[in-house]
Amino acid sequence: MLFGHAVTAAFLRAKGSAFDKARNRPHIGAAMTVTLDLSTPAVRSALAPRAAQPPRMPLIGLSRAEMAESLVSAGIVPERQAKMRVQQLWHWLYVRGVSDFAHIFNISKELRAELDRRFTIARPEIVEEQVSNDGTRKWLFRFPPRGAGRPVEIETVYIPEEGRGTLCISSQVGCTLTCSFCHTGTQKLVRNLTAEEILAQLMTARDRLGDFPDRDTPHGAIVPAEGRKITNIVMMGMGEPLYNFEEVKKALLIASDGDGLSLSKRRITLSTSGVVPGIARTGEEIGVMLAISLHAVRDDLRDMLVPINKKYPLKDLMDACRNYPGLSNARRITFEYVMLKDVNDSLEDARELVRLLRGIPAKINLIPFNPWPGTNYQCSDWETIERFADYINEAGYASPIRTPRGRDILAACGQLKSESERMKKTERLALEAMMIAGHGEE
Ligand code: SAH
Ligand code: SF4
């Protein structure tokens, strides 16, 4: 049977065949006749949804009030039932981790079908999952286009340690800022992620790690011996979270909701390069732990390393930290400090760092620079890092040196960059050679 253009087009596109968009018909260059058998159920079902359905609205990422409003205005839940339905769905989505309405067995079949027609709770596409030899995992997720844009890809990293598992989440595709030592900073901002997409990283990672009730953890996976597989989240992936404040806030309030994903706010850390106006709001409106990408203790150097410093210089940044709502000795700010050879790693820098942080309950996180192809920076020598750490330790600050994790899969801090500009194999080999030469640890 030969059929009309709309249907043929949908099928050919689904199969990735040549299609002449301008004229809305298939290429029939070599006298090709297109016939498809519509009596086959598989062909029919491949065609039907594309032709008929408007895009379905994501339920994940909506606040309770927004979810209630959406269910009522879709006409599938009466107003008086909205609260109860939201409570039910919230539990299934965020406690049980369902990603298909069909698995919600205490809601009628009819309502499930209606929900499925209008809304989606599906996970994003996993383009790639890599597992490092130290157990670190990195996922490349693909999200659909928003508006006229193209699909986007972002990375999320899982770092298992003794007694805890940390998920490093992205907030943007690329970054508008251009910190000179950061790989992500070389990729232009493509777009902000939505609250749904930020949560999808957490929920899909939990799926993959068997971190929802009644799920299996993959054989041989390195995860904490007891309890939850993901115990902490850090907004330290791609992007500047405070330049996507509203969506990050929505996502983190849902991640910390006690009747759902239930992560304690003390186990959620938001890292900023220093967007000063967003700092007080983070404390007041989200209430999570704060990390500051400091990296330099003088304005002239910080202007070069973290260019947002030109807009919000050290004095303003430190004032915002001093006034961070909820700051106390039990709730310290983490200051991240990347160790760059001969750039910011002298004892003079360490001394100035201690002076700068005086009076602020702080932890200092020394990050050995993670190299990437094309960078001019080098990681400080190990002895230099230890000397720096010893100095600030003696001044009374905890100063763990962050062990680089997942370097073999480019999952370490500042190495994230998505598919659009992935490394060529030769570059990857060069990087590996550089790491072996520089650190002798692989
Ligand atoms: N944009 C936010 C959060 C993401 S970056 C921010 O800048 O804070 C997470 C951390 O990794 C930041 O402290 C960042 O400065 C650091 N980082 C970036 N590139 C790095 C690299 N190549 N090696 C080590 N750390 C790096
Ligand atoms: Fe953006 Fe953070 Fe990288 Fe700077 S360090 S370019 S703010 S992701």
Side-chain angles (χ1 to χ4, degrees):
M1 178 187 173
L2 197 70
F3 42 91
H5 285 153
V7 176
T8 321
F11 184 76
L12 290 176
R13 237 174 289 152
K15 290 288 195 195
S17 308
F19 182 73
D20 183 340
K21 265 201 209 136
R23 282 175 286 169
N24 199 30
R25 65 178 171 76
H27 281 306
I28 314 188
M32 183 179 76
T33 314
V34 181
T35 53
L36 288 174
D37 183 3
L38 256 191
S39 64
T40 319
V43 173
R44 278 207 312 273
S45 73
L47 300 176
R50 286 175 183 79
Q53 285 195 354
R56 293 179 296 167
M57 182 185 187
L59 276 190
I60 288 166
L62 301 183
S63 66
R64 284 188 176 79
E66 287 169 337
M67 200 185 278
E69 160 68 22
S70 305
L71 297 174
V72 171
S73 63
I76 57 179
V77 168
E79 195 138 13
R80 64 192 148 74
Q81 278 186 11
K83 203 167 165 200
M84 178 271 287
R85 291 297 182 202
V86 167
Q87 223 166 344
Q88 260 177 333
L89 285 166
W90 202 267
H91 177 82
W92 282 100
L93 297 188
Y94 297 123
V95 178
R96 308 291 287 264
V98 294
S99 54
D100 186 338
F101 290 110
H103 299 147
I104 303 182
F105 57 73
N106 61 352
I107 288 183
S108 74
K109 212 166 152 195
E110 293 70 38
L111 180 54
R112 286 192 321 233
E114 278 296 301
L115 284 166
D116 195 42
R117 209 166 58 77
R118 303 294 299 265
F119 299 102
T120 175
I121 53 173
R123 299 288 189 255
E125 181 185 346
I126 303 174
V127 181
E128 195 175 16
E129 174 172 298
Q130 286 176 278
V131 186
S132 159
N133 46 28
D134 66 14
T136 300
R137 277 166 195 256
K138 183 168 83 168
W139 294 275
L140 182 69
F141 293 125
R142 181 174 297 148
F143 295 119
R146 302 276 162 207
R150 290 204 272 165
V152 293
E153 289 169 357
I154 56 100
E155 290 176 331
T156 306
V157 179
Y158 174 67
I159 305 152
E161 288 167 289
E162 189 73 38
R164 69 156 147 192
T166 304
L167 192 71
C168 178
I169 293 182
S170 295
S171 56
Q172 297 183 306
V173 187
C175 189
T176 48
L177 301 174
T178 51
C179 303
S180 52
F181 54 88
C182 174
H183 200 202
T184 307
T186 63
Q187 185 188 4
K188 283 208 196 85
L189 178 76
V190 180
R191 70 167 170 84
N192 283 334
L193 294 176
T194 63
E196 180 210 7
E197 292 164 336
I198 295 167
L199 285 166
Q201 297 172 61
L202 170 60
M203 296 172 76
T204 315
R206 290 188 66 180
D207 286 344
R208 301 296 303 164
L209 293 165
D211 198 23
F212 279 116
D214 313 318
R215 308 279 180 88
D216 293 328
T217 302
H219 184 70
I222 301 178
V223 291
E226 283 171 15
R228 289 167 72 155
K229 316 290 180 278
I230 297 175
T231 57
N232 292 56
I233 58 181
V234 291
M235 296 303 296
M236 292 188 189
M238 295 165 67
E240 168 49 60
L242 296 189
Y243 276 158
N244 185 16
F245 189 86
E246 293 304 330
E247 297 300 306
V248 166
K249 171 180 163 182
K250 274 170 88 174
L252 294 184
L253 291 180
I254 292 175
S256 57
D257 185 290
D259 293 322
L261 291 164
S262 237
L263 274 158
S264 150
K265 288 185 180 181
R266 303 194 51 161
R267 288 176 172 267
I268 302 178
T269 303
L270 182 151
S271 173
T272 177
S273 57
V275 181
V276 165
I279 290 180
R281 288 190 67 197
T282 302
E284 279 154 16
E285 298 176 35
I286 317 180
V288 293
M289 306 298 282
L290 181 69
I292 301 285
S293 293
L294 190 63
H295 308 317
V297 289
R298 301 188 325 263
D299 278 319
D300 59 339
L301 180 59
R302 196 162 189 272
D303 283 352
M304 278 177 355
L305 298 179
V306 188
I308 199 180
N309 193 70
K310 291 185 209 151
K311 195 164 179 193
Y312 305 114
L314 280 168
K315 166 150 190 341
D316 299 0
L317 180 59
M318 289 303 139
D319 284 348
C321 290
R322 253 181 214 100
N323 297 323
Y324 188 64
L327 187 62
S328 71
N329 272 333
R331 290 168 68 92
R332 295 164 195 242
I333 296 177
T334 301
F335 289 88
E336 294 155 282
Y337 196 94
V338 63
M339 296 301 291
L340 301 167
K341 188 182 171 85
D342 300 332
V343 175
N344 63 355
D345 61 353
S346 71
L347 274 183
E348 186 49 42
D349 290 301
R351 222 169 285 143
E352 187 56 25
L353 178 58
V354 169
R355 206 191 57 76
L356 195 67
L357 299 186
R358 197 162 292 147
I360 304 178
K363 277 184 284 194
I364 300 163
N365 210 337
L366 297 181
I367 317 173
F369 171 64
N370 285 307
W372 38 272
T375 179
N376 291 324
Y377 293 106
Q378 285 178 296
C379 182
S380 307
D381 304 326
W382 198 251
E383 306 82 76
T384 312
I385 300 181
E386 284 193 331
R387 211 169 343 118
F388 200 101
D390 286 346
Y391 183 89
I392 48 187
N393 255 322
E394 275 161 32
Y397 290 98
S399 57
I401 303 170
R402 197 187 289 170
T403 334
R405 300 292 303 264
R407 271 186 172 174
D408 55 338
I409 55 167
L410 275 197
C413 296
Q415 289 183 316
L416 303 184
K417 195 168 165 186
S418 52
E419 183 76 359
S420 48
E421 290 180 66
R422 281 178 86 70
M423 265 192 279
K424 293 195 206 99
K425 192 169 174 218
T426 45
E427 288 175 328
R428 189 184 286 264
L429 291 175
L431 173 78
E432 277 163 14
M434 189 156 88
M435 277 157 37
I436 293 162
H439 310 277
E441 60 181 345
E442 301 297 309

